[in-house]
Amino acid sequence: MYYAPPGFDPSGPPPDRRRRMRAPFRQTRRADERITLLGEQVDLIRPEEVLLHLERSVDAGVQTIVANHNLHSLYLIRRTPGMRRLYEAADLIELDSTPLIHFARLLGHPARPQHRCTYLDWRDHFWSVADRKGWRVLYVGGADGVAEEAARRLTARHPGVMVKGLSGYFDATPGSLGNTAVLAAIKDFAPHVLFVGMGMPRQELWIADNLASLPAVPILSVGAAFDYEAGVQKAAPRWMGRLGVEWLFRLFADPKRLFTRYCIEPWFLIGPALSDVRAAMRRRKR
């Protein structure tokens, strides 16, 4: 859900982000930006840097992939054949986990709290840019009607954007009638930005399977982004994300579905974490 400032009328237009003071950020990549964490590569980037990457990619008309890693994906990638293909092709891999930020700092990497980065961290900035530039944004994912409702709400708030939503409930098998129809709809809409939100690992596998048939635009795996925009799910306040306890909010909201993800899966990552610690200790002895 969108969290408006005190006194703001939610039925009116969104606040103009261009009038706010903004912290400076880098506009070029740095050599130590991509690090290895729990055996997988991630990028230490800020939300503003993701948006800059998207703007430049749209202007250049090139295909680029923005993926993200959290504890759940780091667990799944070891158990899902083919999932790694997306991360190997990704230009940016966001780090969607405050505990992993702290762990990276412990290992000696230049990680900072602002490097926690996911859709909910840059959503307002994204839609402000998309509105100003008149982008066409397509979202594939969610249950029937959810993406369409999210598109309706977003278009009402950001009239300069053309938003379209497609249900994620289709046969994603390459060559199937359902998959062919979705690819045709994407081609017909000709988006500037493509969001894919089918949950992990389905969204990563689908992008990797269909990459050659997808347009030359930024492609982002964004999970339940439009569930939040449609009001189907409630997003945790961002201060909980900054403190690293957003998982508690989600666990209490949906314990049956998320108990295994948050309370069991992390234990399987102890081995890779210990390997990282040993490697960091060896570096410090040199």
Side-chain angles (χ1 to χ4, degrees), residues 98-99 102 116 239-248:
T98 298
H102 295 320
R116 183 188 186 278
W239 65 264
M240 295 189 76
R242 291 190 293 270
L243 291 179
V245 294
E246 183 176 354
W247 66 275
L248 277 175

Side-chain angles (χ1 to χ4, degrees), residues 36-240:
T36 299
L37 205 58
L38 299 184
E40 304 297 332
Q41 292 187 323
V42 296
D43 291 310
L44 299 177
I45 49 174
R46 290 172 48 173
E48 297 88 346
E49 292 158 2
V50 174
L51 263 294
L52 178 65
H53 177 77
L54 296 183
E55 287 187 73
R56 288 175 172 174
S57 299
V58 170
D59 291 344
V62 297
Q63 187 183 77
T64 184
I65 297 174
V66 179
N68 65 85
H69 261 318
N70 52 36
L71 290 172
H72 183 48
S73 65
L74 290 169
Y75 169 84
L76 289 174
I77 200 170
R78 292 168 163 80
R79 289 160 175 79
T80 308
M83 185 177 175
R84 193 179 303 278
R85 291 175 296 153
L86 178 73
Y87 293 92
E88 290 174 345
D91 300 280
L92 289 179
I93 304 175
E94 300 171 313
L95 186 50
D96 174 19
S97 172
T98 298
L100 284 177
I101 291 288
H102 295 320
F103 183 61
R105 294 193 68 179
L106 178 68
L107 297 176
H109 296 297
R112 296 293 180 270
Q114 60 266 28
H115 291 139
R116 183 188 186 278
C117 195
T118 187
Y119 173 80
L120 292 175
D121 297 309
W122 45 256
R123 64 194 288 198
D124 289 340
H125 189 176
F126 174 84
W127 292 111
S128 174
V129 171
D131 183 68
R132 174 164 47 89
K133 298 209 165 195
W135 284 351
R136 295 183 300 278
V137 180
L138 179 62
Y139 179 91
V140 181
D144 293 347
V146 171
E148 292 85 348
E149 172 62 15
R152 184 191 67 78
R153 293 189 181 196
L154 287 165
T155 301
R157 289 185 57 78
H158 304 279
V161 189
M162 185 180 296
V163 189
K164 182 178 179 65
L166 298 176
S167 170
Y169 283 63
F170 64 93
D171 182 357
T173 305
S176 69
L177 291 177
N179 198 64
T180 300
V182 168
L183 292 175
I186 294 172
K187 182 178 180 180
D188 289 343
F189 186 70
H192 291 101
V193 177
L194 174 62
F195 288 147
V196 181
M198 303 181 190
M200 291 179 172
R202 190 170 186 254
Q203 61 193 13
E204 286 77 17
L205 295 173
W206 186 83
I207 295 172
D209 286 343
N210 297 279
L211 194 56
S213 301
L214 295 176
V217 301
I219 303 168
L220 300 91
S221 56
V222 293
F226 269 31
D227 282 21
Y228 299 126
E229 301 296 358
V232 175
Q233 290 190 40
K234 184 177 180 180
R238 299 322 297 148
W239 65 264
M240 295 189 76

Side-chain angles (χ1 to χ4, degrees), residues 71-72 75 259-271:
L71 290 172
H72 183 48
Y75 169 84
F259 177 80
T260 297
R261 178 185 302 188
Y262 292 132
C263 300
I264 302 233
E265 290 180 3
W267 292 99
F268 289 88
L269 298 172
I270 290 177

Side-chain angles (χ1 to χ4, degrees), residues 17 146 191 274:
R17 296 187 73 263
V146 171
L274 291 176

